[in-house]
Amino acid sequence: MKMDTNNQRESEPTPDVVANYTSTKKVWRWLFISSAAFLIAWVLFPIYLLVVSALSSADVVNGWPKSFIPEFDLETMTFFMNYYGVLAALKNSLVAAAFTMIISIGLGTPAGYALARFDFWGKEAFRMIILLTRAFPMPLLALPLAVIFIQVGLDDTLFGLSLVHASLALPFAVLITASLFLGIPVELEEAAWVLGCNRWQAFYKVVMPLALPGLTASAVFAFVISWNEVFAAAVLTINNQTLTAFLVQSLSASPAEVKFAGGLILILPALLFLYVVRKYLFSMWGISNR
Amino acid sequence: MTTITIENIKKSFGDADILKSVTLDIKDQEFTVLLGPSGCGKSTLLRIIAGLETQDSGVIKIGERDVSALPPRDRNVAMVFQNYAVFPHLTVFENIAFGLRMKKVSDDKIKHNVERTAELMHIEHLLSRYSGQLSGGQRQRVAVARALAVEPDVLLMDEPLSNLDALLRLQMRSELKNVLEESKTTTVYVTHDQVEAMSLADRIAVMNEGRIDQYDNPDEIYRNPATEYVGGFIGNPPMNFLTSPHWSNSAPDGAQKLGIRPEDFLVSMEDQVGYLPVQIQTIEKLGSHQQLTSELEGQGLRINIASELPVQQGGILFLQPKPEKMRWYDVRGEII
């Protein structure tokens, strides 16, 4: 009889164990939700403060105590946008970012295609070296680059700056496009060849349309990298400053509310673009969003 | 007249010789199946005919034209791939029209050809769909229609049915046979499935480690396998091979092995003159017949016998190979 009861105890979990189990599950769930909430707040709270401050008048930004209800005042933003040099810097930033986008997609797409479709000598080395360009910090590179740029006459040009930004964006462009092309079955291209296409036509008619969303994402990513870059921009441009360089140098002495306005203008395009292409960034980082 | 002449084609990848001097003459309007296990080089040969791979040496002619050095687009061939390769960004209509558009055919002719081939493959109601909205079988139909629409000299098919489920494969097989007979296009078809090969082919080229062992019609391949390899590959269960059977006095000079199909025995339950005793090891009742695995003087032997014979596991059965069905093979495994 004693044996029997023992057996029964072992085979069926007691209510105690079940309760323990569900409460452990609850704890984990709670932990998960709270850490997710913490991480979201970590990112969103500064952005929230930035937006609120940028859209408040100078008095509110510098005053104390803070009101819980944010006010909506375009005075600071208007002041910032009319501040001498801002519009020119904004234009420079857009031009440099556009150049960067064109260079990194123009070079990155063929390189990515080669990585995806061909076996060539030194392929793995190439893959490594491409990443190596990101191994050196910009402060280390910026000064020698500035010297070389002065020698060849590229100093203080947006094109020169775009070259530097493209070198930052290219590794991503190459690796993203390579994985894009890997995802397109080679048989589709072969079918196109047999049906009368040469290599370029097959790429243009079959591969391109399928890769286009991903290529756009990778272009936008290059744009954002250039848009956000400060150090090289600050060192390599003087008269043709981009917005980041301009903000670093001109606004250090500005009142807080103007800094906030500048910050908002800086992060808006980046946020917007990243939001638009988030699906492709997830897939390139190996995170599924489904 | 679209013959295909393949002369001394060689191809190696690194150290591996995939094709060791392959020669093949395919007649006009003939349906040739390249049959062999994976790795025998059959797909490589097909891709060389298509121009998707380049041979190391040798000549390929389509009709009178030497196409050895031409890119795929200039060979006027069409190909159906194992995974269909239907363009996902185009409608079924545009998929079928793709090759015609590349040839700059007039819109009227494109419409006419697309509708005709779509009808032939029973997909005329799907013309405005995209490949994502189609089932595997429908995609396969689109791929075949796309290949036929360009009216190619040669149609190449690389295991086109192997991604379909069993029932659909049977249905597509007979349908394909009709369509291709009607289109009168010279066809080269790659498969590892011997039933598919036997049922579709005018002639089968059985490939073994980069060589063609035998190129003949299905009956001939089944009845007179040119090599031990062919006999062992074709037939289910395959041909029996018995090493130096001392009981037979009909062996020609140099004969090493006797090849005989499982169904080519006279069977008796009692000992008779000229019959050999075999011990039955396993019995598989297959309805129409029984398949026995038995042993004759230490060598395994598979026999198909009538289903009503009362055989028992471990029992003895008496056999006589039908003399006219016996095939002899020499040391190299070639038929004598």
Side-chain angles (χ1 to χ4, degrees):
Chain A
M1 274 312 279
K2 213 177 175 187
M3 282 285 286
D4 276 346
T5 45
N6 265 348
N7 273 347
Q8 205 169 8
R9 281 195 88 84
E10 269 169 26
S11 59
E12 273 173 45
T14 60
D16 251 14
V17 175
V18 173
N20 260 340
Y21 176 71
T22 43
S23 67
T24 323
K25 223 171 118 184
K26 259 187 194 161
V27 168
W28 276 114
R29 204 176 147 66
W30 188 84
L31 254 175
F32 174 77
I33 291 174
S34 53
S35 23
F38 176 76
L39 285 175
I40 291 169
W42 179 276
V43 175
L44 284 189
F45 191 60
I47 294 178
Y48 166 78
L49 285 183
L50 187 66
V51 173
V52 167
S53 305
L55 295 177
S56 301
S57 60
D59 297 341
V60 176
V61 170
N62 296 316
W64 191 264
K66 303 281 186 205
S67 147
F68 272 104
I69 304 135
E71 85 174 321
F72 190 74
D73 185 309
L74 285 178
E75 182 201 334
T76 317
M77 285 307 284
T78 331
F79 172 77
F80 174 76
M81 293 309 283
N82 291 330
Y83 191 83
Y84 177 74
V86 166
L87 280 180
L90 192 65
K91 194 200 89 199
N92 285 342
S93 263
L94 285 172
V95 171
F99 270 145
T100 305
M101 193 165 84
I102 291 166
I103 296 169
S104 49
I105 286 305
L107 294 178
T109 308
Y113 185 81
L115 273 181
R117 285 289 190 258
F118 300 108
D119 280 318
F120 50 88
W121 188 85
K123 184 174 170 175
E124 288 312 306
F126 177 68
R127 216 189 277 271
M128 275 307 294
I129 288 168
I130 263 181
L131 279 178
L132 263 186
T133 58
R134 298 304 313 251
F136 304 104
M138 195 32 85
L140 199 72
L141 295 175
L143 234 73
L145 270 176
V147 173
I148 294 173
F149 274 23
I150 289 168
Q151 281 167 354
V152 295
L154 274 177
D155 57 307
D156 200 15
T157 62
L158 288 176
F159 179 67
L161 181 63
S162 308
L163 285 181
V164 177
H165 287 173
S167 79
L168 295 175
L170 252 175
F172 293 103
V174 172
L175 296 180
I176 296 173
T177 52
S179 72
L180 264 178
F181 292 137
L182 270 181
I184 297 172
V186 70
E187 283 87 354
L188 289 180
E189 266 180 278
E190 291 180 339
W193 298 341
V194 174
L195 287 170
C197 291
N198 59 31
R199 250 185 190 280
W200 166 246
Q201 286 169 322
F203 181 81
Y204 177 74
K205 284 177 186 289
V206 175
V207 179
M208 232 351 210
L210 295 174
L212 202 58
L215 286 180
T216 315
S218 141
V220 164
F221 197 58
F223 187 95
V224 171
I225 283 180
S226 167
W227 180 272
N228 284 345
E229 203 283 328
V230 184
F231 201 93
V235 173
L236 295 175
T237 58
I238 301 158
N239 293 320
N240 289 317
Q241 277 181 328
T242 62
L243 193 59
T244 46
F246 176 82
L247 289 183
V248 163
Q249 277 163 19
S250 310
L251 291 188
S252 49
S254 305
E257 73 272 12
V258 181
K259 285 181 188 165
F260 283 128
L264 183 60
I265 292 295
L266 258 186
I267 66 161
L268 264 186
L271 277 182
L272 199 72
F273 277 161
L274 288 178
Y275 179 77
V276 170
V277 302
R278 68 197 184 285
K279 192 172 134 199
Y280 299 98
L281 294 180
F282 283 154
S283 68
M284 100 194 203
W285 287 324
I287 309 163
S288 169
N289 60 333
R290 290 157 203 235
Chain B
M1 274 294 283
T2 315
T3 57
I4 308 174
T5 315
I6 298 164
E7 286 168 21
N8 301 319
I9 291 291
K10 287 183 190 168
K11 175 76 180 177
S12 50
F13 292 110
D15 293 338
D17 291 332
I18 300 298
L19 295 174
K20 303 162 187 164
S21 194
V22 170
T23 297
L24 202 63
D25 278 305
I26 298 167
K27 292 182 204 144
D28 183 34
Q29 299 189 13
E30 192 170 37
F31 195 128
T32 289
V33 171
L34 303 179
L35 175 67
S38 51
C40 73
K42 55 188 192 303
S43 282
T44 308
L45 183 57
L46 191 81
R47 292 170 59 82
I48 287 177
I49 301 174
L52 295 173
E53 303 276 357
T54 315
Q55 66 279 13
D56 296 340
S57 65
V59 176
I60 303 252
K61 283 187 195 164
I62 294 177
E64 294 303 309
R65 226 154 42 106
D66 184 343
V67 299
S68 310
L70 293 181
R73 62 179 183 278
D74 294 332
R75 296 191 178 199
N76 201 23
V77 299
M79 187 154 169
V80 177
F81 293 84
Q82 182 174 357
N83 61 3
Y84 324 133
V86 174
F87 303 131
H89 61 298
L90 300 177
T91 60
V92 169
F93 184 97
E94 283 305 321
N95 261 283
I96 302 176
F98 192 91
L100 297 166
R101 292 217 190 280
M102 290 309 298
K103 285 184 178 174
K104 308 242 185 304
V105 174
S106 74
D107 280 355
D108 286 347
K109 167 103 166 123
I110 288 179
K111 194 161 181 294
H112 174 259
N113 266 21
V114 170
E115 280 170 2
R116 188 178 52 82
T117 46
E119 214 167 297
L120 200 64
M121 295 309 297
H122 306 296
I123 48 171
E124 60 271 32
H125 58 295
L126 303 173
L127 286 176
S128 56
R129 301 244 189 119
Y130 286 90
S131 115
Q133 303 163 294
L134 303 178
S135 69
Q138 289 170 330
R139 271 179 227 177
Q140 188 59 66
R141 286 164 190 277
V142 174
V144 175
R146 184 176 66 183
L148 290 174
V150 295
E151 293 166 352
D153 290 338
V154 171
L155 180 60
L156 306 171
M157 307 183 104
D158 190 1
E159 310 223 7
L161 302 183
S162 60
N163 278 7
L164 302 178
D165 62 55
L167 207 64
L168 202 54
R169 200 181 308 162
L170 273 178
Q171 189 196 336
M172 276 299 282
R173 197 169 77 197
S174 56
E175 212 172 302
L176 212 54
K177 188 171 176 151
N178 291 335
V179 167
L180 294 176
E181 249 162 37
E182 208 170 307
S183 79
K184 298 194 188 338
T185 312
T186 310
T187 304
V188 184
Y189 185 107
V190 161
T191 184
H192 61 262
D193 181 341
Q194 49 167 303
V195 182
E196 216 169 282
M198 299 288 279
S199 66
L200 285 173
D202 294 324
R203 281 200 286 171
I204 300 176
V206 184
M207 295 190 67
N208 174 25
E209 293 181 349
R211 287 201 179 80
I212 292 178
D213 269 23
Q214 188 171 13
Y215 182 39
D216 221 322
N217 66 58
D219 282 341
E220 206 42 40
I221 294 230
Y222 188 80
R223 288 187 198 135
N224 297 310
T227 63
E228 202 183 320
Y229 175 82
V230 175
F233 189 76
I234 307 267
N236 187 21
M239 201 173 215
N240 293 296
F241 290 96
L242 298 169
T243 311
S244 50
H246 62 84
W247 39 264
S248 174
N249 45 24
S250 62
D253 286 347
Q256 189 77 15
K257 281 185 182 174
L258 165 66
I260 181 138
R261 296 251 172 228
E263 64 272 24
D264 293 336
F265 292 95
L266 298 169
V267 183
S268 164
M269 297 301 291
E270 283 116 39
D271 198 358
Q272 295 183 39
V273 182
Y275 278 66
L276 302 158
V278 297
Q279 183 164 29
I280 300 167
Q281 289 171 329
T282 37
I283 302 171
E284 293 161 76
K285 291 186 184 294
L286 298 176
S288 62
H289 64 277
Q290 311 183 60
Q291 198 176 96
L292 307 185
T293 308
S294 63
E295 201 181 278
L296 172 63
E297 292 169 350
Q299 299 188 54
L301 191 65
R302 296 222 202 194
I303 326 153
N304 290 350
I305 61 167
S307 53
E308 53 273 6
L309 274 179
V311 288
Q312 279 178 341
Q313 197 167 336
I316 303 286
L317 193 67
F318 299 92
L319 298 177
Q320 186 183 43
K322 295 177 185 166
E324 75 279 10
K325 302 282 188 177
M326 285 157 57
R327 303 286 177 265
W328 295 93
Y329 294 86
D330 64 14
V331 187
R332 287 169 302 166
E334 287 172 17
I335 196 163
I336 297 175

